[in-house]
Amino acid sequence: SPWDSQEAQDISLALKWQKFPQQENHFVVYNVVLNPSGTTFLFVLHRGTNLWLPCGGHIDSDETPFHAAARELREELGISPAPIDGKVFFVSISPGEETNLHACLWFLFRMTDHPELTIDHTELIAAQWFRRDSLPLSVSDPQLPRFLRKLDAQQGTGHPAH
């Protein structure tokens, strides 16, 4: 369910795009990956935007959003973390390349172990685990703070580790 009125508006707009596709706008997935204890987040430095973002990308026409999320994690980082519930957790509308917009479908995953990452350097500059208090908010998706507030509220404690 929507976290706030902005997410409700973003969901409504995304549903309109789904019914009436617009070539300039795209659906993308973001994969927020937590470490096994839930205390750190895996973010990637995206080559095209020079922003620290959750791993993700465009949804291909022949796949569901969840399958796109799992595919992007395998392709960009060489990992297959466990989905926390397999459902879209958060929806936001963000600027894309040039003049288009992205409907971002945010998924939650948790690593069950500590695999070595295999970074796709054609799309990514780096990947890094961040503690909650060191997330690079000033050089990330502007909707990340809203995502974190929703995560905190869902967990009921103010931090994702609990």
Side-chain angles (χ1 to χ4, degrees):
S1 63
W3 160 244
D4 57 16
S5 61
Q6 182 63 54
E7 187 177 9
Q9 289 175 355
D10 291 350
I11 290 170
S12 176
L13 183 57
L15 290 173
K16 286 179 187 173
W17 290 355
Q18 189 176 26
K19 287 182 183 177
F20 306 103
Q22 300 174 5
Q23 187 170 357
E24 68 273 11
N25 299 324
H26 305 280
F27 284 87
V28 299
V29 292
Y30 272 167
N31 305 302
V32 178
V33 179
L34 301 171
N35 70 337
S37 62
T39 57
T40 58
F41 299 81
L42 181 59
F43 274 62
V44 298
L45 183 55
H46 192 272
R47 190 170 294 285
T49 64
N50 207 37
L51 295 174
W52 284 100
L53 301 169
C55 176
H58 290 89
I59 301 170
D60 291 340
S61 61
D62 63 341
E63 64 186 349
T64 66
F66 177 76
H67 287 107
R71 175 184 52 76
E72 290 288 347
L73 287 164
R74 285 189 313 273
E75 287 178 0
E76 293 184 357
L77 297 172
I79 59 174
S80 296
I84 290 185
D85 71 5
K87 297 178 185 172
V88 174
F89 178 78
F90 183 70
V91 176
S92 66
I93 303 295
S94 295
E97 303 86 16
E98 300 173 12
T99 60
N100 67 352
L101 295 174
H102 287 166
C104 302
L105 309 179
W106 300 58
F107 287 88
L108 287 169
F109 290 85
R110 186 180 306 271
M111 297 302 302
T112 56
D113 55 7
H114 301 278
E116 186 172 330
L117 301 176
T118 305
I119 298 171
D120 175 0
H121 288 286
T122 62
E123 292 196 38
L124 309 175
I125 296 169
Q128 182 175 328
W129 291 97
F130 291 94
R131 290 185 330 273
R132 170 63 179 264
D133 61 359
S134 66
L135 281 166
L137 298 177
S138 65
V139 287
S140 188
D141 187 296
Q143 303 305 320
L144 180 58
R146 289 181 49 245
F147 164 83
L148 293 169
R149 286 193 296 275
K150 182 174 184 177
L151 183 61
D152 292 346
Q154 295 284 327
Q155 307 231 331
T157 61
H159 288 288
H162 298 120

